[in-house]
Amino acid sequence: SSPETRGPRLLPARAAPAPAVAVTGNWSGRLLAAVEKGSFALIYQPIVNLHAEPAEFFEVLVLMVGENGELIAAGEFIPAAEQCGLAPAIDRWVVEQTVSLLGQWHRDHPRCALPLCAINLSESSLHDRSLVSHVRECLAKHRLPAESLCFEMTEGVALGSFSETVRLISEIRET
């Protein structure tokens, strides 16, 4: 592979930024409990390849599991998680769970090509200096190549924290 395609990739996400949300004590407590208990669920949304290439590609979407088992869309809780400082912990959980599932799939289907999973990163994760080493540890634990992951963020986040974006891309490319 060329230097531009080695390791996890960082792509702009297509989602519009979520509206600003005032964090209430209720959201803060609910989010903290969800992070402590891992009360999230993942959906692996297939991305249809229109170029007739054989690779499989999935976007990983996170949902919070509410107190009564209801699923709460990321757009409802991520803005509050950003304000509470919990978004990087949620991003790490998504990375861990995705890599674990990919690792199990690879062990169950060793002759099949690994699908590519795209994980949306929060703005706070751009400033998490240990995120890339955490990703590397997860990949090593499950014996997966870095090329099985792709990271996405909105253009507004990437440009708003341009120096951090450049740092993150550089570190990811070294993986």
Side-chain angles (χ1 to χ4, degrees), residues 58-78:
F58 295 89
E59 182 165 13
V60 181
L61 305 173
V62 64
L63 303 166
M64 188 170 92
V65 179
E67 296 163 355
N68 299 315
E70 72 278 13
L71 296 177
I72 303 166
E76 294 183 46
F77 69 88
I78 291 295

Side-chain angles (χ1 to χ4, degrees), residues 44 96-107 142 144:
Y44 297 88
E96 290 165 8
Q97 297 302 309
T98 300
V99 171
S100 176
L101 182 71
L102 276 172
Q104 184 61 51
W105 187 90
H106 189 53
R107 286 187 294 282
H142 293 281
L144 290 175

Side-chain angles (χ1 to χ4, degrees), residues 3-172:
E4 294 79 27
T5 61
R6 268 189 229 130
R9 288 165 275 220
L10 188 64
L11 298 175
R14 293 165 299 284
V21 174
V23 177
T24 64
N26 185 27
W27 262 123
S28 181
R30 288 173 68 189
L31 285 164
L32 185 58
V35 167
E36 289 173 351
K37 296 177 184 174
S39 297
F40 298 98
L42 297 178
I43 295 174
Y44 297 88
Q45 178 177 310
I47 305 298
V48 177
N49 186 335
L50 300 177
H51 301 289
E53 295 173 11
E56 288 190 75
F57 182 57
F58 295 89
E59 182 165 13
V60 181
L61 305 173
V62 64
L63 303 166
M64 188 170 92
V65 179
E67 296 163 355
N68 299 315
E70 72 278 13
L71 296 177
I72 303 166
E76 294 183 46
F77 69 88
I78 291 295
E82 286 275 10
Q83 290 182 7
C84 294
L86 294 171
I90 295 169
D91 288 349
R92 285 171 176 259
W93 184 90
V94 171
V95 168
E96 290 165 8
Q97 297 302 309
T98 300
V99 171
S100 176
L101 182 71
L102 276 172
Q104 184 61 51
W105 187 90
H106 189 53
R107 286 187 294 282
D108 292 346
H109 309 281
R111 295 176 194 230
C112 295
L114 274 169
L116 174 67
C117 287
I119 297 172
N120 292 300
L121 290 180
S122 64
E123 183 173 5
S124 303
S125 285
L126 271 180
H127 305 284
D128 181 353
R129 297 285 179 156
S130 63
L131 176 65
V132 174
S133 62
H134 180 71
V135 170
R136 288 179 184 141
E137 289 170 15
C138 290
L139 291 168
K141 177 180 176 183
H142 293 281
R143 298 182 177 155
L144 290 175
E147 292 82 9
S148 58
L149 296 180
C150 171
F151 294 100
E152 297 182 347
M153 66 182 66
T154 64
E155 289 88 354
V157 167
L159 295 174
S161 300
F162 189 71
S163 63
E164 289 298 313
T165 302
V166 170
R167 178 197 56 80
L168 182 66
I169 290 170
S170 296
E171 287 184 22
I172 286 175

